Amino acid sequence: MDVLNDLMGGFGSAFSPLHLLLAFAGCTLGSLVGVLPGLGPATTVALLLPLTFVFDPTGALVLFAGIYYGGMYGGSTTAILLNVPGETASVPTTLEGHPMARSGRAGAALATAAIGSFVAGTISTVGITFAGPAMAQIAEKIQPAEYFAVMVLAFATVTAVVAEAPARGLCSLFLGLAIGLVGIDSLTGQARYTFGVPELYDGVQIVAVAVGLFAIGEALYTAARMRRAPEEQMLPVGGRIGMSPEDWRRSWKPWLRGTAIGLPIGALPAGGAEIPTFLSYNVEKRLSRHKKEFGKGAIEGVAGPEAANNAAFSGVLMPLLTLGIPTSATAGVLLIAFQMYNVQPGPQLFETQSALVWTLIASLYIGNVMLLVLNLPLIPLWVKLLRLPRPLLTAGILVFAALGVYALSQNAVDLGIAVLFGLLGFGMRRAGYPVAPLILGAVLGPMAETQFRRAMAFSEGDWTIFFTRPLSAAILCLSLIALAGPMAARALRRNREREPEPAG
């Protein structure tokens, strides 16, 4: 009953006129930016991050809840109409959604994506509501050694999942960890890697890093491809935007299965949205009675992955709120948003910031309904937006990102940092290095260092504490498996490909 009472209190705050307006603005802005080609939820949140600094913490996080969900919804439009996924997790949607659009069923594909996202988002938010406080109580009993081990697990899994070559993922991660070391050492008071620049004494401005890596870097990468790659052809939205009774019959089970796959994987400290979306697609392909339609426009191949994608993205909020650990690039940017207001997610959040966290959870329910109401009628508007010249859109993103970073601190150094990391993000994309491990390393690095030092202080300098505590040792073993497993699988696959076929 305490959970329901807290949730009702959260709804009381979320239904205030200001918070409703902020939720509506967040959903609209998130959808507007998220629908632009190549801009995933992480880029959307990073680009709009400076906008929230004028609000109080509760209002800003309500706005971010709308932006977060809106960015996820927007990606399905480009995946279906342009065959351009906003992020890796949207790739399965292109496999069936774009063929549906080519065959004149874009309206049904967009509808099942929107409704499936709503179903998955609502069920996932219910899960956060009831499981979040319980996870926070368990997390309160975790010692620094276990906290450090969980962060190592997050580093290992994200690096292994997003990188085709694990060595590149590790390089990106270590660069992020090095960025996190910049500033005054909290223990000794010594300046580290500041190069005599006073503005760096408080560390590198993570907002500038996020905007540079995601928004500026993505815009530069898109601009560089314009001359070499022809602009994608926008498919018309033929027919009405809705679903026939047959579409409903074929979609509702994939929605539920996608939610059941995405939520638990996303909620794990080693979660993310890539694995559940591809897993959901494979499940639907095996279970479908219309296997011959796959690859040609099977609606199950849109409904299941879109539900899994939204459920996984909602699930990452659970370790973020209860452990303070982001398990994806988007969650890393959200953690930056919390830290902007001196709000540290973790086991104490449900006690120290009870009103804020329950207003945030209530706003997830409200934002999910708003997005369903908004997105289906506004799809024709998003289509018109996508018809704007690509150079104009790219230039607008660059200008908006630069103005946002400068307005946040009115500091030329932070603007220079954003541009520098924009160039770095562009170079990493060109060279095939993943960006997600870098931002997670920069955000989680200082926290991992703090927990490591606390564990060493409790053990009086005995580093074996990480292996003598059973839970910590088990988590570190899982980290090793998570890092080495994909490497071994890739090596085995390469060996099989090199083996000569037996002579007939």
Side-chain angles (χ1 to χ4, degrees), residues 10 29 45 65-66 129 160 163 282-283 288 308 328 386 437:
L29 285 172
V45 176
T129 301
N282 290 331
V283 168
S288 176
S328 68
L386 288 169

Side-chain angles (χ1 to χ4, degrees), residues 318-340:
M318 205 173 296
L320 178 65
L321 294 175
T322 59
L323 297 173
I325 296 176
T327 57
S328 68
T330 312
V333 180
L334 281 177
L335 181 58
I336 296 170
F338 277 96
Q339 293 174 343
M340 282 170 55

Side-chain angles (χ1 to χ4, degrees), residues 18 58 66 87 114 116 135 215 225 255 325 395 421 446 456 464 498:
L18 175 61
T58 303
E87 67 285 330
M135 279 188 66
R225 295 171 57 198
W255 291 337
I325 296 176
F421 278 95
M456 293 296 287
T464 61
R498 290 173 184 169

Side-chain angles (χ1 to χ4, degrees), residues 357-381:
V357 73
W358 285 108
T359 302
L360 174 62
I361 291 174
S363 68
L364 295 178
Y365 287 99
I366 296 170
N368 217 21
V369 175
M370 282 185 175
L371 280 166
L372 183 64
V373 174
L374 276 174
N375 270 280
L376 290 178
L378 289 181
I379 284 173
L381 176 62

Side-chain angles (χ1 to χ4, degrees), residues 3-52:
V3 170
L4 293 178
N5 290 334
D6 291 335
L7 182 61
M8 289 301 104
F11 272 113
S13 176
F15 275 122
S16 68
L18 175 61
H19 289 161
L20 282 175
L21 181 61
L22 288 174
F24 178 81
C27 293
T28 306
L29 285 172
S31 298
L32 189 149
V33 179
V35 80
L36 298 178
L39 297 188
T43 309
T44 304
V45 176
L47 183 62
L48 299 174
L49 196 62
L51 287 178
T52 64

Side-chain angles (χ1 to χ4, degrees), residues 263-290:
L263 179 58
I265 295 178
L268 292 173
E274 290 82 6
I275 294 175
T277 50
F278 282 96
L279 184 60
S280 173
Y281 181 80
N282 290 331
V283 168
E284 296 309 323
K285 193 173 182 179
R286 291 193 176 192
L287 296 178
S288 176
R289 297 179 180 176
H290 308 85

Side-chain angles (χ1 to χ4, degrees), residues 147-201:
Y147 252 115
F148 176 76
V150 170
M151 292 182 189
V152 171
L153 177 61
F155 289 146
T157 50
V158 171
T159 300
V161 167
V162 301
E164 284 296 325
R168 294 184 177 185
L170 288 172
C171 288
S172 178
L173 173 64
F174 288 135
L175 179 57
L177 293 173
I179 293 168
L181 292 175
V182 175
I184 299 293
D185 187 333
S186 58
L187 190 65
T188 65
Q190 296 294 316
R192 302 184 300 187
Y193 309 111
T194 57
F195 306 104
V197 180
E199 287 83 0
L200 294 180
Y201 287 166

